Amino acid sequence: MSRFCVAGSLNIDLVTRTKRFPKQGETVQGESFSTFTGGKGANQAVALSKLGAETVMTGKLGNDIYAAQYMEYFRKLGISTEGITREETSTGIAVITVDENGENSIIIIPGANGRVDAAYIKEKKELIAKADFLLLQLEIPMEAVLEAARTAKAAGTEIIFDPAPAGNVPSELLKLVDIITPNETEAEALTGIRPDDEAGFAAAGKALTSKGVRTAVMKAGSRGAYIYEKGRLAHVAGFKVNTVDTTAAGDTFNAGLAYALGEGMELAGAVRFANAAAAISTTKHGAQDGMPSIDEVQNLLGF
Ligand code: RIB
């Protein structure tokens, strides 16, 4: 059985649902308010664990009530917390608005996530070295992401990197990454090319691989995903479901991709598995509540 390590953020998501997003300067009345566990790193760890994967997470929580709840929740899910430390600050917070189409906008307050540095990753390096796959995102400081990637490379651990939220990424990191999984916005931030159609995905994939990434798996929402590898583009179709909240669909995709590769699936099959997992995750509210079990994914895949 493959082992997975996630190095990244743990957030508490404060979620408002509203018919539509307010325009700048406008006040609208919302429909509901809820608090969920979230954070791109923790979401990927939870999605892996719900699929049945052996998962360890490294990151930081604050000194508030949320941190204790998060630790307890991880233990219940069977996610190893040996890589998680609490800091004298607040747990990371994400203020999220979800509209009636399930689309979201997010403001992040890093809190303890901002204290994950290279030295901390060095302390936890065994967790990365022992894993078969390392999953990375961009909600902890870049020095920590880079150190984690260097550690994984040295240990022969496969790196799946979700360049989210969109931003600048140093060229050293791209050279270390095995599989990068941007959505359209993130691909544009990294390459300057907006992939709106097949030609755009091919150009963005070519640009990403020319920066040193081995494989680009570009997420395209309900259209599925595009793979660019060895100079060739392939499309893997998405699944039609009743979407109510797209929050963490991308995180579930990454976890599904890693899980399926860890089970020995070839890349296109693993991307199809990831598309199915991500689609199911959008059918419930909250980042983690809709994340599927292996049976749910296999059911959608028709196994
Ligand atoms: O990817 C979704 C996540 O982004 C949310 O759970 C929120 O915490 C933000 O980090």
Side-chain angles (χ1 to χ4, degrees), residues 9 11-13 37-40 43 94 96 106 108 139 247-248 251 287:
S9 59
N11 288 337
I12 294 296
D13 293 352
T37 45
K40 294 188 191 303
N43 290 343
I96 303 181
I106 305 181
I108 298 287
E139 283 185 345
T247 308
D251 302 326

Side-chain angles (χ1 to χ4, degrees), residues 88-175:
E88 283 305 311
T89 184
S90 62
T91 294
I93 295 290
V95 179
I96 303 181
T97 309
V98 181
D99 76 0
E100 64 180 353
N101 300 317
E103 297 300 331
N104 63 58
S105 67
I106 305 181
I107 298 174
I108 298 287
I109 299 98
N113 296 312
R115 305 231 183 142
V116 182
D117 56 12
Y120 182 69
I121 296 293
K122 278 186 185 143
E123 261 177 51
K124 305 292 177 191
K125 67 179 182 197
E126 279 313 308
L127 302 178
I128 295 172
K130 277 196 282 185
D132 299 292
F133 291 86
L134 171 70
L135 284 78
L136 292 170
Q137 327 73 34
L138 291 177
E139 283 185 345
I140 55 174
M142 186 56 78
E143 65 168 273
V145 176
L146 255 175
E147 186 58 34
R150 288 185 196 122
T151 306
K153 201 70 187 176
T157 302
E158 175 116 350
I159 302 168
I160 300 183
F161 171 50
D162 185 356
N168 283 334
V169 172
S171 58
E172 181 192 350
L173 181 58
L174 294 176
K175 291 192 181 101

Side-chain angles (χ1 to χ4, degrees), residues 77-94:
L77 284 173
I79 300 171
S80 167
T81 56
E82 61 182 305
I84 300 178
T85 302
R86 291 180 64 173
E87 289 275 336
E88 283 305 311
T89 184
S90 62
T91 294
I93 295 290

Side-chain angles (χ1 to χ4, degrees), residues 1 21 30 47 54 58 81 90 106 118 126 134 146-147 149 166-167 244 246 257 291 299:
M1 198 184 196
F21 296 111
E54 189 181 326
T58 182
T81 56
S90 62
I106 305 181
E126 279 313 308
L134 171 70
L146 255 175
E147 186 58 34
V244 297
T246 58
L257 177 66
M291 288 172 175
N299 194 27

